[in-house]
Amino acid sequence: MDALRVTGAAEPLLRPSAGGGGHPRLRVRTHAQGEGGAGRGAAAEGDAAFSWAPVILPFLFPALGGLLFGYDIGATSGATISVQSADLSGTTWFNLSSVQLGLVASGSLYGALGGSILAYRIADFLGRRIELVTAAALYILGALVTGFAPNFVILIIGRILYGIGIGLAMHGAPLYIAETSPSQIRGTLISLKELFIVLGILIGYLVGSLEIDNVGGWRYMFGFGTPIAAIMAIGMWTLPPSPRWLLLRAVQGKGPMEDNKKKAIQSLRALRGRSASEKVLADDVEDTIVSIKAAYAGQEGEGNIWEVFEGASLKAFTIGGGLVLFQQITGQPSVLYYAASILQTAGFSAASDAARVAILIGLFKLLMTGVAVLKVDDLGRRPLLIGGVGGIVLSLFLLAAYYKILNNFPFVAVGALLLYVGAYQVSFGPISWLMVSEIFPLRTRGRGISLAVLTNFGSNALVTFAFSPLQEFLGPANIFFLFGAIAVLSLVFVILNVPETKGLSLEEIESKILK
């Protein structure tokens, strides 16, 4: 799954002022101020200077959760070759059926689906920070169980445990980053988490390349994430809780208001990385409470799941849910998880050769992700989606043609894979989740994103599991032709249903597009 880009539901604790040169300045702007209204609170008392230093760790440690998700994708590509090899597996149970191989590849995704359901129920109770500490602990446990698995059943249990960690991390990380980052760099940081996922894929390919010729190398491929997860766990434990989460719980009646105010002030002080007056911090907290109360005015608590399927929220879920569904059922998990296997059939017969070419694909994926992050606010969402999905259609039909009539030209398969990766990374990869974070109305944003996560992991797991049996039943040419046909449908869906949200505020999206 790719990175979520989540925008805070209420006005952020920190917003940029129209200050002059030097370091950017921040001040509070609340709903109560209105457009052009007189500032109050912190803005009147003095601005809090923004510094990069305290921002790095509150971004880095949650982003490691995305890196470990990406690492699993990359490592699985090589591990599925190693674990079923008579010479390389180092086991007596290496002779896996296509169904068993599908479970190895998709086990973590089924765990992620379970983790997403779990997050839906308990994440708001735990808070973003503890949710990410729990995710890191599950990453460690899953990697160790998988790496030391004595049989196939224990291997799958380890994959599922690791996957539950993925589900929690992919829910908690973007929320923590969004709720603790200064507003003028919030979008950049959340977009950069997509780069961490891609970097994780690349690291997984690299480790797979190094271990692919070693007996039992799959154990090291799966287990290598343990030290990274330990760093994530320690780092998240040392960070403060999200101040906005503390205040949201108080407004919802799930915590004492005065105690949570004090905790929010302490968190703000830690996140700003510099001494600020009690007046400035207190005014920031009061302004945030005002905006949260305004968002929940006249409505009870947290709402319920059925609200997502009504009115403007249903339209938003059709757009956002449709994007993340097509993101997966056009074959994305299959191409990534089975990249090394596909390359072997393209003429790179040695496992090590296929793994090395997969590294080049990972580097290209990283490059194209950077292009998307830099250009999405310039070109807009729709042009990148339409152009990128068009490239996906072409690449999938090229792969089908390669297996059908062009099998003497292995460069066609490699070129098609590169086209697929590049087109995906400038379209479905980052933009689907950007649209999900933008499109939902304030009232149902949290629930809507949770359902989008479930849709993503559910379809991801299904496609990844089904790819190997379907390939055996239909043959590679027909399976890629099927994915190509689905991609055509996704292109029609984008053209007819996905709006352009570039330059619109969240309120404008809700009022102009959804109503």
Side-chain angles (χ1 to χ4, degrees):
M1 188 189 79
D2 295 276
L4 298 178
R5 179 173 176 170
V6 181
T7 308
E11 290 294 325
L13 285 160
L14 300 175
R15 290 184 65 98
S17 73
H23 289 293
R25 308 289 289 178
L26 300 175
R27 68 179 182 183
V28 174
R29 179 179 182 273
T30 73
H31 289 290
Q33 288 174 252
E35 293 298 328
R40 65 171 289 272
E45 294 296 324
D47 294 334
F50 161 71
S51 170
W52 273 99
V55 172
I56 294 173
L57 295 183
F59 162 76
L60 177 62
F61 292 129
L64 289 179
L67 185 143
L68 286 164
F69 173 38
Y71 175 79
D72 182 69
I73 296 173
T76 301
S77 179
T80 51
I81 295 175
S82 175
V83 74
Q84 64 176 338
S85 169
D87 298 324
L88 300 176
S89 70
T91 70
T92 58
W93 40 274
F94 60 84
N95 190 21
L96 302 180
S97 67
S98 60
V99 172
Q100 288 176 316
L101 184 61
L103 284 173
V104 173
S106 63
S108 63
L109 295 175
Y110 286 110
L113 183 62
S116 300
I117 296 172
L118 187 63
Y120 181 83
R121 302 300 304 173
I122 70 170
D124 280 345
F125 170 75
L126 292 178
R128 318 328 183 189
R129 171 176 163 269
I130 298 302
E131 182 181 5
L132 288 168
V133 171
T134 305
L138 286 164
Y139 275 142
I140 294 170
L141 181 61
L144 291 176
V145 170
T146 304
F148 289 102
N151 56 54
F152 177 77
V153 173
I154 300 300
L155 172 63
I156 299 304
I157 291 174
R159 299 287 290 142
I160 292 173
L161 287 172
Y162 192 96
I164 296 173
I166 291 174
L168 293 178
M170 290 300 97
H171 181 271
L175 286 173
Y176 188 88
I177 295 171
E179 293 178 357
T180 60
S181 301
S183 60
Q184 71 262 50
I185 60 167
R186 180 177 290 112
T188 299
L189 291 180
I190 298 172
S191 298
L192 282 175
K193 198 172 76 65
E194 172 72 16
L195 281 175
F196 268 67
I197 294 177
V198 177
L199 180 61
I201 294 173
L202 180 58
I203 294 173
Y205 285 156
L206 285 169
V207 173
S209 177
L210 293 173
E211 295 292 337
I212 194 68
D213 289 326
N214 295 331
V215 176
W218 61 271
R219 297 185 183 275
Y220 296 96
M221 297 179 204
F222 283 135
F224 183 78
T226 302
I228 302 175
I231 294 171
M232 176 185 169
I234 295 170
M236 287 307 309
W237 188 260
T238 63
L239 291 176
S242 160
R244 188 180 179 282
W245 171 78
L246 291 168
L247 299 176
L248 179 63
R249 299 300 284 173
V251 170
Q252 292 174 341
K254 303 298 177 65
M257 179 63 76
E258 290 304 317
D259 287 350
N260 279 26
K261 281 184 181 180
K262 292 177 182 178
K263 292 177 182 177
I265 289 173
Q266 293 172 354
S267 293
L268 269 179
R269 184 179 292 111
L271 291 166
R272 288 185 177 183
R274 55 163 290 170
S275 177
S277 72
E278 288 295 319
K279 177 62 174 174
V280 170
L281 297 176
D283 282 342
D284 281 355
V285 166
E286 291 297 335
D287 288 339
T288 302
I289 291 173
V290 169
S291 65
I292 293 174
K293 285 183 176 179
Y296 281 84
Q299 304 184 54
E300 297 179 0
E302 303 171 42
N304 62 72
I305 185 64
W306 301 112
E307 290 183 66
V308 179
F309 302 102
E310 299 173 354
S313 295
L314 176 59
K315 183 176 181 180
F317 183 67
T318 300
I319 296 168
L323 283 174
V324 296
L325 176 65
F326 279 120
Q327 181 191 63
Q328 301 303 321
I329 64 175
T330 50
Q332 183 267 153
S334 302
V335 174
L336 291 180
Y337 277 92
Y338 292 92
S341 299
I342 292 172
L343 288 167
Q344 278 187 300
T345 65
F348 299 93
S349 56
S352 57
D353 289 340
R356 291 188 184 101
V357 176
I359 293 173
L360 296 178
I361 291 178
L363 286 170
F364 183 66
K365 184 178 176 70
L366 189 68
L367 174 65
M368 296 307 295
T369 304
V371 171
V373 170
L374 291 173
K375 290 298 183 181
V376 66
D377 285 325
D378 293 333
L379 299 178
R381 285 64 160 149
R382 273 179 60 85
L384 287 175
L385 274 173
I386 293 172
V389 176
I392 289 173
V393 170
L394 177 60
S395 67
L396 288 169
F397 283 129
L398 278 174
L399 282 170
Y402 166 75
Y403 284 106
K404 195 75 172 178
I405 58 176
L406 301 175
N407 45 32
N408 290 325
F409 304 95
F411 67 87
V412 172
V414 177
L417 281 174
L418 289 173
L419 176 60
Y420 185 97
V421 167
Y424 179 87
Q425 286 310 127
V426 299
S427 58
F428 276 146
I431 297 177
S432 292
W433 289 110
L434 170 58
M435 292 293 297
V436 165
S437 71
E438 292 177 329
I439 203 68
F440 281 100
L442 170 63
R443 174 65 177 164
T444 57
R445 187 163 297 136
R447 302 284 178 171
I449 289 171
S450 295
L451 283 177
V453 171
L454 290 174
T455 301
N456 180 269
F457 279 125
S459 53
N460 192 328
L462 178 63
V463 173
T464 302
F465 172 75
F467 181 80
S468 187
L470 279 175
Q471 188 180 37
E472 187 176 276
F473 178 71
L474 297 175
N478 290 330
I479 192 67
F480 282 113
F481 182 82
L482 174 62
F483 284 142
I486 296 172
V488 172
L489 293 177
S490 71
L491 182 58
V492 173
F493 172 83
V494 169
I495 293 172
L496 296 181
N497 293 282
V498 178
E500 179 57 72
T501 59
K502 182 184 75 168
L504 297 178
S505 69
L506 298 180
E507 292 77 17
E508 289 172 329
I509 292 172
E510 185 170 349
S511 63
K512 294 180 179 180
I513 294 178
L514 299 180
K515 294 183 179 179

